[in-house]
Amino acid sequence: MKKIILALAILCVGMTQAQQREKGTIELIPQVGFSISNFYGSDTSDNDAISTLSIGVGADYYLNNRWSIRSGLHYQTMGSDVSDTILGLSYLTVPLNANWHFGKERKWNLNFGPSVGLLTYAKLGDVDVKDDFNKVQVGFNVGIGYKFELTKKLSLLVDYQGMAGLTNAAKDATLKNGYGSINIGAVFKL
């Protein structure tokens, strides 16, 4: 009986350590998500939120078993429904987030930090309005997620990411993007 208990204890310790990552570990995370966005600021009295699909790929570089740096490249559509006409702004966004892994098995993560988005298009209905918007957006991100380990090299990540624009989206109006996305991704340990 003592041998069985000892064997189970060793197995549990091994399983606990399996999800934790060591310094220098890199994870690649292709993901897809459902996002909701809207403008905020002084010129947003008649706006409603819009929902879109988001896609991207992220990467985590582990500094130790609790902290990593998360970055990546994400295609995000933001904007608003303005008087029953969709104003859509699409960005290629690069975040640079500190990512804290917590919980007994480090399956949870909380990330935060700045992002820079480059405007790829802006349309009000079918009209191109890209010249009316700033080409670069700076934002602050925050997110939380949970990893389901499938194998030692593959996990499934479910997370929420939010972004508040720190710079104006429009050149001549006080409009900043607010964005939230629920994502699912495959985590590949390299």
Side-chain angles (χ1 to χ4, degrees), residues 83-111:
S83 302
D84 295 326
T85 305
I86 301 296
L87 174 55
L89 309 173
S90 288
Y91 294 90
L92 283 176
T93 303
V94 176
L96 185 59
N97 292 351
N99 196 9
W100 177 52
H101 304 271
F102 63 99
K104 185 176 181 180
E105 297 179 24
R106 312 288 193 272
K107 291 184 179 184
W108 287 95
N109 72 79
L110 177 67
N111 60 82

Side-chain angles (χ1 to χ4, degrees), residues 35-185:
S35 63
I36 295 176
S37 67
N38 202 349
F39 293 124
Y40 68 95
S42 62
D43 299 323
T44 59
S45 59
D46 294 331
N47 294 5
D48 291 316
I50 62 171
S51 58
T52 59
L53 184 68
S54 63
I55 59 171
V57 63
D60 266 323
Y61 176 79
Y62 281 76
L63 304 172
N64 56 43
N65 71 355
R66 285 219 180 254
W67 288 95
S68 66
I69 300 295
R70 178 177 285 182
S71 190
L73 182 63
H74 303 279
Y75 182 76
Q76 302 169 318
T77 299
M78 300 179 196
S80 190
D81 183 341
V82 181
S83 302
D84 295 326
T85 305
I86 301 296
L87 174 55
L89 309 173
S90 288
Y91 294 90
L92 283 176
T93 303
V94 176
L96 185 59
N97 292 351
N99 196 9
W100 177 52
H101 304 271
F102 63 99
K104 185 176 181 180
E105 297 179 24
R106 312 288 193 272
K107 291 184 179 184
W108 287 95
N109 72 79
L110 177 67
N111 60 82
F112 52 91
S115 65
V116 175
L118 302 176
L119 185 67
T120 60
Y121 83 79
K123 288 191 177 181
L124 178 60
D126 293 328
V127 179
D128 185 341
V129 292
K130 189 173 178 182
D131 292 336
D132 297 332
F133 290 86
N134 292 313
K135 306 294 185 241
V136 176
Q137 169 181 261
V138 176
F140 184 79
N141 303 309
V142 65
I144 188 165
Y146 186 82
K147 282 194 291 189
F148 298 92
E149 185 175 3
L150 303 175
T151 69
K152 287 186 178 189
K153 298 246 181 205
L154 176 65
S155 297
L156 179 68
L157 175 68
V158 177
D159 76 353
Y160 170 81
Q161 297 293 317
M163 190 279 305
L166 301 175
T167 57
N168 280 332
K171 291 181 179 176
D172 297 327
T174 306
L175 295 175
K176 296 179 181 177
N177 283 306
Y179 175 87
S181 181
I182 295 175
N183 307 297
I184 187 166

